[in-house]
Amino acid sequence: MLRKWNVYVIREGRSQYIGEVNESSEEMARCAALSRFGVGADEIDVGEALPRCVAIYPDDNFEVSPTT
């Protein structure tokens, strides 16, 4: 059964909401978050990366939590 998961990036000790994904488990939600919001070093190098406010950068920690 799919659930909605909020995706947060941890920056400067604070949690920043960047969006949501739909998945059946926390592990799958983390994978979906990386797939949807993740930015690779190659994208950064060529200037094609999403802005930090809506993306997970390689040096970011992130978390997912089920919506209520």
Side-chain angles (χ1 to χ4, degrees):
M1 179 177 186
L2 289 181
R3 299 176 73 175
K4 284 187 180 183
W5 299 81
N6 291 320
V7 181
Y8 299 91
V9 175
I10 313 304
R11 294 197 180 110
E12 299 175 8
R14 296 171 56 189
S15 182
Q16 176 184 348
Y17 174 83
I18 61 169
E20 65 182 38
V21 294
N22 296 305
E23 273 304 337
S24 58
S25 69
E26 181 177 357
E27 183 178 320
M28 294 302 294
R30 288 183 61 80
C31 291
L34 282 175
S35 176
R36 182 169 181 191
F37 302 110
V39 171
D42 54 337
E43 293 170 293
I44 295 168
D45 291 344
V46 297
E48 295 179 353
L50 293 170
R52 285 188 87 87
C53 63
V54 294
I56 302 169
Y57 274 60
D59 60 340
D60 287 334
N61 290 318
F62 75 98
E63 59 187 33
V64 296
S65 63
T67 61
T68 53

